[in-house]
Amino acid sequence: MQSHKETALFADDERGPRLFEAAGERDLAAFASARRDELEARLLEFGALIFRGFAVAQVADFEGFGEAISPRALDYTYRSTPRSAAGKGVFTATEYPADQEIALHCENAYQRDWPLKIAFCCLTAPASGGETPIADMRKVAAAIGEERMDRFQRRGVRYVRHYRPYVDIPWETVFQTSDRAELARFCEANGIDYEWLDAQTLRTSQTNHGVVEHPRTGERVFFNQGHLFHVSNLGEEAASSMINLFGADRLPRHAFHGDGGEIAAEDLTAVREAFAGASVRFPWQAGDVMLLDNMRMAHGRKPFSGARKVVASLLEPYSERAAAAPAAAVA
């Protein structure tokens, strides 16, 4: 008996995400373990794999899949959104209110360390909405255009954050410590500038890449979260309110180019339109698992109603610094 059926997720897109449906074997961890090299090749080719109809009913089932795909998971440190640990290397998806949309992005693209793969598992499907849209970064890059890609590659992105009690997420959650000395050590080790503006207000800033090279394919990838961190992501009215409340130089989070210059409004608009134009989505079914090449596919979240439980694992940690170290040593 055939153990599975593989098709294009969308009938009119043979080069898009692949759907694997259980036809016999329903143990997803065993299925993935036996076909790890094959799935790796499929992921590199298509960017997204969806597994449906397998026996995935609890976090432990998803944990087994993650371990079969990658022996290493990335802890969620230097956080930008609220999440909770759900298991070994498993976290809840971003815990924003159900009526809020999460813009498309590549996971941890604002950091110097990120997962090459990210996996999602739907344990409870929402009553409506709540899709996790994805976008092919090749299409995103093409829509952004060479000139803007060059600009983001040359100038990078600088992320500036201000932490205060009861605003956004606290620094203790972001850095997973309440020890200021430990916070200082983390920032110094990771090239994050930090300053206590007063007894309760911490400012951090870090300049990172805007465009990077995919370590497996060598392709240029638009890889940053400037469009998320920039205050304009809140919408014109909310952004104006935030500036009036905190001041333009003390926003909870904001983004600039690495040289300190403003990111042009037309560039931010072009980036957001590129993501939107490349976006596709499908309704979650309970037990669905989605595996993404985190540098090939962006992801987001649509508003939803009813209960929704989606968990995630950050797989195959990659360090930009470690990757550059051998070349630097030779030089």
Side-chain angles (χ1 to χ4, degrees), residues 150-300:
D150 289 345
R151 181 153 55 249
F152 275 96
Q153 183 167 14
R154 184 177 67 254
R155 300 182 68 183
V157 177
R158 187 166 185 81
Y159 305 93
V160 181
R161 301 171 72 172
H162 292 87
Y163 307 90
R164 306 173 181 84
Y166 314 115
V167 178
D168 207 345
I169 53 178
W171 65 267
E172 294 91 342
T173 299
V174 170
F175 294 97
Q176 292 292 283
T177 181
S178 58
D179 184 337
R180 294 193 181 197
E182 189 174 335
L183 160 73
R185 285 192 293 270
F186 181 91
C187 289
E188 289 162 5
N190 289 277
I192 301 171
D193 297 328
Y194 66 97
E195 177 184 3
W196 287 97
L197 303 181
D198 56 46
Q200 293 188 307
T201 307
L202 169 68
R203 172 191 288 157
T204 65
S205 61
Q206 185 184 41
T207 298
N208 287 336
H209 47 260
V211 170
V212 297
E213 183 179 290
H214 194 298
R216 303 278 165 76
T217 67
E219 295 170 285
R220 279 208 311 172
V221 181
F222 185 83
F223 200 72
N224 67 78
Q225 290 189 14
H227 63 297
L228 265 73
F229 276 75
H230 197 277
V231 68
S232 61
N233 186 53
L234 300 173
E236 187 174 345
E237 184 177 341
S240 179
S241 296
M242 293 290 279
I243 292 170
N244 289 336
L245 181 60
F246 296 110
D249 62 340
R250 294 201 177 191
L251 292 164
R253 59 179 76 192
H254 198 30
F256 303 86
H257 276 302
D259 53 20
E262 293 284 347
I263 302 175
E266 55 267 31
D267 285 351
L268 290 165
T269 297
V271 167
R272 291 174 180 135
E273 289 178 348
F275 276 109
S279 176
V280 296
R281 53 179 162 158
F282 63 94
W284 280 118
Q285 295 182 21
D288 280 357
V289 170
M290 177 167 66
L291 179 66
L292 302 180
D293 179 324
N294 186 44
M295 298 180 71
R296 274 284 316 279
M297 288 282 178
H299 65 275

Side-chain angles (χ1 to χ4, degrees), residues 106-128:
C106 295
E107 194 66 32
N108 284 22
Y110 63 95
Q111 296 195 36
R112 297 176 184 179
D113 300 331
W114 59 82
L116 291 180
K117 302 181 179 75
I118 181 168
F120 297 91
C121 175
C122 178
L123 295 174
T124 303
S128 65

